[in-house]
């Protein structure tokens, strides 16, 4: 479902949006919809990351430790030989 809305943009902003939409082969409406959706998702992810940080969780360090453990197991099992896909 789509909703028609009236929005106002500066001349500079709308010209840039038209240029980007054309470059990506999208209508201006489709490009603006995508841009707004991406901005909303960035806001949600940023809020989530901030909440995780406030909770004292260090997910990046945990992910790096997991990757090191996978590498260690691979070294033990495969001794530098490539794994079968």
């Amino acid at each position: 479902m789509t909703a028609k809305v009236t929005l106002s943009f500066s001349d500079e902003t709308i010209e840039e949006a038209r240029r980007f939409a054309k470059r990506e082969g999208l209508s201006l409406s489709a490009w603006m919809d995508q841009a707004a959706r991406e901005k909303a998702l960035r806001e949600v992810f940023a809020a989530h990351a901030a909440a995780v940080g406030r909770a004292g969780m260090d997910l990046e360090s945990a992910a790096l430790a997991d990757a090191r453990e996978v590498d260690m197991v691979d070294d033990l099992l495969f001794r530098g030989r490539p794994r079968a896909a």
Side-chain angles (χ1 to χ4, degrees), residues 62-80:
L64 291 172
D66 288 347
R68 285 190 299 272
E69 189 172 322
V70 167
D71 289 341
M72 181 182 69
V73 170
D74 281 354
D75 286 344
L76 289 171
L77 292 175
F78 303 107
R79 302 276 182 219

Side-chain angles (χ1 to χ4, degrees), residues 11-32:
D11 291 338
E12 181 181 321
T13 298
I14 203 67
E15 286 308 313
E16 288 178 6
R18 284 187 176 122
R19 186 169 26 91
F20 288 128
K22 183 178 180 179
R23 184 179 69 189
E24 294 180 25
L26 297 172
S27 68
L28 179 60
S29 292
W31 190 88
M32 295 296 275

